[in-house]
Amino acid sequence: MGSFPASVVLLLALTLSARTQKFPTRDEELFQMQIRDKSLFHDSSVIPDGAEISGYLFRDTPKRYYFVVEEDNTPLSVTVTPCDAPLEWKLSLQELPEESSSDGSGAPEPLDQQKQQIISEEGTELFSYKGNDVESYVASSSPSGLYQLELISTEKDTNFKVYATTTPESDQPYPELPYDPRVDVTSLGRTTVTLAWKPTPTGSLMRQPIQYCVVINKEHNFKSLCAVEAKSNADDAFMMAPKPGLDFSPFDFSHFGFASENDSGKDRSLVVKSVATKMSRSYLAKQKVDLQKVCIGNKNIFTVSDLKPDTQYYFDVFAVSTVTNMSTAYVGTFAKTKEEAKQKTVELKDGKVTDVFIKRKGSKFLRFAPVSSHQKVMFYVHSCLDAIQIQVRRDGKLLLSQNVEGVRQFQLRGKAKAKYLIRLRGSRKGASMLKILATTRPNKQPFPSLPEDTRIKAFDKLRTCTSATVAWLGTQERNKFCIYKKEVHDNYNEEQRKREQNQCMGPETRKKSEKVLCKYFHSQNLQKAVTTETIKGLEPGKSYLLDVYVVGHGGHSVKYQSKLVKTRKFC
């Protein structure tokens, strides 16, 4: 059994002489005194009656806990919860030594003799278990004696919890599972999974305060909530390592560099340094865990969202007593989210404009396969709302990746019998609309050419109570320009203008009463390719949104950036 802690012997001596308690007392005042007395409680590895304790095991280093049952026929329940790693544990019973000495003098034996007498006896093994399940030893009638709980982890350093009680019927600290403790998947989508489970009788029938915690991860199911906590804290050495005086037995201190009787002559700093280095390396090697825990109150249905498509997830549900903070695990489940809906690839016809709608953060795939040999390919893209991303691959090789706002054209070198795959990715802000054309005959341009600057300039000095004068740039090609006006409220701002700015909505969508005029102009000298226009018939002190459309030969139009103007209130 190994060396027996002196503080445990002291406790046993008190027990043998006083015969007043089975476990550390439930008397609150005395119990608090025992907790403060570290020599009696923490370091002596004594299990208190009716309280869950946490412990820490170093690999291949057994830890022993003790408690005394004074009276025969006492109910007993001992529950061990492994955290993170499987445990081997066994519970054994030993007869208490006689109170009087062997020579019949009536004087009590010295403590060392009592200690030796206890250790020399093998004891009776009552129960043993090996694994990572939460397992309990329950007996309705237990004999008096010294009980020893021995635990060992052969895989790695790990945490565990122990709960023992002599009144299991009245305690019931762990929430009870329903007759069907399974977690069911009731709905399955590409990014969502809906879970349902039957409520715990502890909450539904006994009316005790209960909440449910749902755990989601990609690796495996968990059998206890402390296993979840151990996993989620695996990257934090300070969370994993025990604190001196709390989880240590006296013989554990050597692991953290505290000199034992046998190594008192060694340099203690060297021991501390080597152990610290070893531990820090083992913890640094662990990666951050992809694990999510959500506590949802007393609801017994929950939808998990923001999952990845075509991915397997494991789901666990824990009923947690909000009074004791102790938990019970349901039988977890797993499910694979549905695959992303396969994108239909739209075929582009040479020289034909195609309208494309993309939902927020979505993508669309298009394919262009020229029927004849070609030296170059032109792609014309008109993004109607926010910027979109275009990627073009030729026979699998990426040729182009650009963000497009407004009208853009891209020329790529051709290749015989080449096939082009175009991927359009929408905006994160909202849905995207665009027009796209691919052609091997670039002389047929679908959209009207635009200047680099598509702003409308308003002349403040020429502004009157009933008119506004504006100007905009043109190109070397002769195009048709139409200007429209719309009265807006005074609180109309740039954000509202952006929301309404759909460049693909042409003049055909406007009211006839909003039309000001249409005209043609161009100039071979780009510096002179500018036109001005005075919009008349406005009302004093009013705000107006002005739009200019340039209409191409094929009837496709592009809108310039809208301009907000306000007439003078007094003239």
Side-chain angles (χ1 to χ4, degrees):
M1 196 187 297
S3 63
F4 198 83
S7 52
V8 174
V9 177
L10 173 62
L11 181 65
L12 293 177
L14 291 172
T15 304
L16 293 171
S17 58
R19 293 276 184 171
T20 58
Q21 63 186 52
K22 308 177 187 68
F23 287 79
T25 179
R26 289 197 181 192
D27 177 87
E28 184 64 27
E29 192 173 333
L30 185 55
F31 184 63
Q32 291 299 326
M33 183 195 74
Q34 288 180 345
I35 289 177
R36 286 193 296 271
D37 186 348
K38 300 296 190 297
S39 65
L40 266 181
F41 189 71
H42 288 302
D43 292 344
S44 64
S45 297
V46 175
I47 301 176
D49 191 356
E52 187 176 59
I53 63 169
S54 298
Y56 191 84
L57 282 174
F58 290 102
R59 183 170 64 87
D60 294 331
T61 303
K63 177 171 280 192
R64 299 173 184 88
Y65 287 86
Y66 304 91
F67 56 89
V68 175
V69 171
E70 174 201 339
E71 299 173 1
D72 286 333
N73 303 317
T74 299
L76 179 62
S77 175
V78 179
T79 301
V80 176
T81 302
C83 304
D84 190 30
L87 298 180
E88 296 179 34
W89 64 273
K90 65 180 179 180
L91 184 68
S92 56
L93 167 65
Q94 236 162 358
E95 294 294 327
L96 289 175
E98 294 296 327
E99 293 185 43
S100 59
S101 63
S102 57
D103 60 8
S105 64
E109 292 180 347
L111 292 182
D112 285 344
Q113 292 182 26
Q114 290 184 8
K115 167 184 170 183
Q116 191 59 44
Q117 185 177 347
I118 293 170
I119 295 173
S120 63
E121 297 178 8
E122 285 284 328
T124 305
E125 184 176 304
L126 302 175
F127 183 81
S128 64
Y129 173 76
K130 180 178 181 180
N132 58 0
D133 282 330
V134 180
E135 193 60 65
S136 298
Y137 168 79
V138 181
S140 58
S141 178
S142 296
S144 61
L146 172 67
Y147 287 77
Q148 174 187 279
L149 175 67
E150 181 177 282
L151 308 99
I152 188 169
S153 171
T154 57
E155 283 193 11
K156 58 180 178 179
D157 300 350
T158 187
N159 297 298
F160 64 90
K161 291 187 178 185
V162 175
Y163 178 82
T165 178
T166 55
T167 54
E169 287 298 320
S170 59
D171 279 8
Q172 295 186 343
Y174 297 97
E176 187 181 345
L177 288 176
Y179 69 91
D180 181 0
R182 294 173 300 177
V183 178
D184 294 317
V185 175
T186 61
S187 177
L188 190 63
R190 290 192 298 274
T191 60
T192 61
V193 172
T194 300
L195 307 170
W197 56 93
K198 292 180 173 57
T200 165
T202 306
S204 59
L205 299 178
M206 303 176 192
R207 302 295 180 189
Q208 293 184 19
I210 293 291
Q211 74 164 338
Y212 297 102
C213 293
V214 181
V215 173
I216 308 105
N217 81 106
K218 296 179 185 177
E219 294 184 10
H220 55 75
N221 288 109
F222 290 93
K223 296 181 179 180
S224 67
L225 204 49
C226 80
V228 174
E229 291 160 358
K231 189 74 172 177
S232 61
N233 294 327
D235 60 332
D236 189 344
F238 295 102
M239 295 295 290
M240 291 288 290
K243 297 177 176 61
L246 293 180
D247 290 336
F248 278 89
S249 290
F251 51 78
D252 283 338
F253 282 97
S254 61
H255 286 276
F256 272 77
F258 292 88
S260 66
E261 295 176 2
N262 298 326
D263 61 359
S264 56
K266 295 181 181 178
D267 185 344
R268 181 177 298 181
S269 65
L270 292 177
V271 181
V272 174
K273 184 177 180 181
S274 65
V275 172
T277 304
K278 181 181 177 182
M279 288 197 65
S280 64
R281 282 177 184 165
S282 66
Y283 286 118
L284 287 174
K286 296 183 179 180
Q287 299 297 316
K288 194 163 181 68
V289 180
D290 185 9
L291 182 149
Q292 184 183 5
K293 173 187 166 189
V294 187
C295 294
I296 60 171
N298 59 7
K299 296 183 298 181
N300 62 318
I301 185 168
F302 181 66
T303 298
V304 187
S305 56
D306 296 326
L307 302 176
K308 293 182 180 178
D310 195 28
T311 304
Q312 181 153 301
Y313 289 90
Y314 294 84
F315 305 97
D316 291 289
V317 172
F318 299 90
V320 184
S321 168
T322 57
V323 176
T324 66
N325 204 34
M326 295 165 74
S327 59
T328 305
Y330 279 69
V331 177
T333 187
F334 58 89
K336 191 173 185 179
T337 50
K338 291 184 178 180
E339 292 183 20
E340 192 78 70
K342 290 187 178 179
Q343 294 276 5
K344 289 184 178 179
T345 303
V346 179
E347 292 286 344
L348 295 179
K349 292 184 178 179
D350 198 328
K352 184 178 179 181
V353 175
T354 300
D355 293 308
V356 181
F357 174 82
I358 309 172
K359 56 184 184 179
R360 187 174 77 90
K361 296 198 291 187
S363 295
K364 281 286 174 72
F365 290 90
L366 303 92
R367 184 172 173 271
F368 180 53
V371 295
S372 59
S373 60
H374 54 284
Q375 293 185 335
K376 55 186 175 181
V377 173
M378 292 292 293
F379 288 96
Y380 298 91
V381 183
H382 182 191
S383 178
C384 310
L385 296 169
D386 292 312
I388 58 102
Q389 185 193 60
I390 180 173
Q391 287 185 339
V392 180
R393 295 178 184 272
R394 184 184 64 203
D395 300 331
K397 182 181 179 182
L398 183 65
L399 301 180
L400 170 70
S401 182
Q402 289 279 335
N403 287 331
V404 175
E405 196 166 5
V407 177
R408 291 284 300 276
Q409 61 185 50
F410 305 100
Q411 179 175 300
L412 303 177
R413 184 177 296 174
K415 187 178 179 183
K417 298 181 180 179
K419 292 179 177 60
Y420 300 84
L421 182 67
I422 303 100
R423 180 182 183 180
L424 302 169
R425 185 175 293 174
S427 167
R428 290 179 174 271
K429 300 176 184 177
S432 300
M433 293 176 62
L434 60 103
K435 294 178 181 287
I436 185 170
L437 179 143
T439 181
T440 56
R441 302 185 296 277
N443 56 320
K444 290 188 176 182
Q445 186 170 335
F447 305 116
S449 57
L450 289 173
E452 289 186 7
D453 191 346
T454 59
R455 292 176 297 173
I456 302 172
K457 178 176 174 57
F459 296 96
D460 188 61
K461 291 183 179 180
L462 300 178
R463 187 166 53 101
T464 71
C465 291
T466 59
S467 69
T469 301
V470 295
W472 64 90
L473 297 176
T475 62
Q476 292 176 329
E477 296 178 9
R478 187 170 183 268
N479 282 315
K480 179 183 178 181
F481 295 86
C482 296
I483 186 165
Y484 284 74
K485 67 175 180 1
K486 181 174 75 170
E487 185 181 334
V488 294
H489 297 294
D490 287 340
N491 59 358
Y492 189 88
N493 55 36
E494 284 297 305
E495 284 301 313
Q496 289 173 292
R497 182 188 66 79
K498 285 180 181 177
R499 284 199 294 269
E500 293 182 7
Q501 182 89 340
N502 184 343
Q503 290 189 342
C504 293
M505 304 290 281
E508 68 278 1
T509 64
R510 302 298 295 263
K511 296 178 182 178
K512 288 184 178 180
S513 59
E514 295 176 354
K515 183 177 179 180
V516 177
L517 58 86
C518 290
K519 67 176 185 180
Y520 290 87
F521 88 93
H522 72 288
S523 176
Q524 292 299 321
N525 185 347
L526 284 177
Q527 292 182 342
K528 294 181 179 180
V530 58
T531 186
T532 61
E533 197 62 47
T534 299
I535 296 97
K536 299 178 181 178
L538 308 180
E539 294 184 20
K542 299 287 186 179
S543 296
Y544 292 88
L545 192 68
L546 304 181
D547 287 307
V548 170
Y549 299 88
V550 54
V551 185
H553 301 300
H556 297 290
S557 62
V558 179
K559 186 169 72 169
Y560 278 52
Q561 297 178 38
S562 301
K563 182 66 179 178
L564 188 66
V565 297
K566 188 174 183 179
T567 55
R568 297 187 186 277
K569 199 169 186 179
F570 304 104
C571 294

